[in-house]
Amino acid sequence: MKKIFLLLILLVSTIGFSQKGKSKTTQKNVVLTKVDNISAEIISEKSGKRVVLFVKNGDKIDTLEVKKLDKTDFKPTGFVVKSFTTQGKKFYHVNWKEQVKTDTKLKKETSDITEDQLWDTETKTLLLGNLHKKSHIKETIFLDANKTASHDVEKNRSEGFEFTLNADGSFVLKTKTQNSTYVYNTASSKYEIKGAPKTSGGKKKK
């Protein structure tokens, strides 16, 4: 009888241990891309998810935070990490795109978001972070207070600067009215504007 009782205790303990073991399974990192000694990954932590760059230098691995994810369904349409050289320094350009759609009874909006970052992985420094958003909006506008008559309005909207990385490692930030070129300054270890920003659009005639 004692043997049967001990056997039951062992069986229950084994089942309980295996169930606890299953509940502690952790989510695997999602690898977005790899280049040279860098791996771009989505990692899951207690505080949430992050996009990071794991940079391997010998036996050491540095972790550079690219983005904290507010939403869990981060699905970039493209995620690219490329190296480039400027002023004798090797940096990395991180680029990704997302499309966000909003659909309500009165408004439909499709936004294309592009994010660009320039990293000096040797010093673990973010040299540039830029976000550009282009949206197409279709909205129903009511013509009277009682909302008996309406018409649809379509418009395009651009927010932030468009980013272009040049072959020499300089970059351009531009809007419809402004165009600025930035070059890397080895003395200050950062990008600085070259000359005065160029503006477009002439003066209106009186």
Side-chain angles (χ1 to χ4, degrees):
M1 188 70 180
K2 286 183 178 179
K3 288 183 179 179
I4 295 172
F5 182 69
L6 287 171
L7 185 62
L8 286 171
I9 291 174
L10 286 170
L11 185 61
V12 171
S13 299
T14 304
I15 293 170
F17 179 77
S18 63
Q19 286 177 342
K20 286 181 180 179
K22 286 181 181 179
S23 64
K24 289 183 179 179
T25 55
T26 55
Q27 290 183 318
K28 291 183 179 180
N29 294 353
V30 177
V31 179
L32 297 169
T33 188
K34 289 184 177 182
V35 62
D36 297 338
N37 61 328
I38 298 173
S39 179
E41 302 181 20
I42 299 175
I43 62 173
S44 298
E45 300 169 314
K46 288 183 179 179
S47 57
K49 291 187 176 184
R50 295 188 296 156
V51 178
V52 301
L53 300 180
F54 288 123
V55 184
K56 188 174 182 181
N57 294 306
D59 296 332
K60 184 182 177 183
I61 297 178
D62 295 321
T63 303
L64 310 180
E65 182 178 280
V66 173
K67 184 181 180 70
K68 285 183 179 179
L69 300 180
D70 298 325
K71 53 183 182 179
T72 56
D73 59 338
F74 176 68
K75 294 179 181 178
T77 55
F79 197 102
V80 180
V81 180
K82 287 184 178 180
S83 65
F84 68 97
T85 304
T86 184
Q87 305 294 333
K89 299 280 290 183
K90 185 178 181 180
F91 299 140
Y92 286 88
H93 175 206
V94 182
N95 167 270
W96 70 93
K97 296 176 175 62
E98 292 180 81
Q99 188 173 85
V100 179
K101 292 185 178 182
T102 303
D103 193 348
T104 65
K105 190 176 181 180
L106 299 177
K107 184 178 180 181
K108 292 183 179 181
E109 181 174 346
T110 300
S111 298
D112 293 311
I113 301 169
T114 303
E115 292 200 47
D116 292 277
Q117 293 185 0
L118 301 183
W119 281 92
D120 181 349
T121 57
E122 187 178 339
T123 61
K124 297 177 280 188
T125 304
L126 177 63
L127 300 169
L128 171 78
N130 185 70
L131 185 150
H132 181 245
K133 182 178 179 181
K134 291 176 68 176
S135 303
H136 178 74
I137 303 164
K138 185 176 181 180
E139 193 171 8
T140 300
I141 305 296
F142 290 104
L143 303 175
D144 62 326
N146 295 323
K147 299 182 179 181
T148 56
S150 66
H151 73 289
D152 290 335
V153 175
E154 290 192 52
K155 58 184 177 181
N156 295 314
R157 184 173 62 200
S158 179
E159 299 174 60
F161 291 92
E162 289 186 52
F163 170 88
T164 303
L165 181 63
N166 298 321
D168 63 356
S170 63
F171 65 82
V172 176
L173 294 178
K174 67 177 181 179
T175 63
K176 286 183 178 180
T177 59
Q178 187 174 315
N179 190 323
S180 302
T181 300
Y182 291 78
V183 295
Y184 185 73
N185 186 336
T186 54
S188 61
S189 299
K190 62 182 181 180
Y191 276 90
E192 297 176 355
I193 194 167
K194 181 181 179 182
K198 297 178 182 179
T199 56
S200 59
K203 294 181 180 179
K204 293 182 180 180
K205 294 181 180 180
K206 293 182 180 180

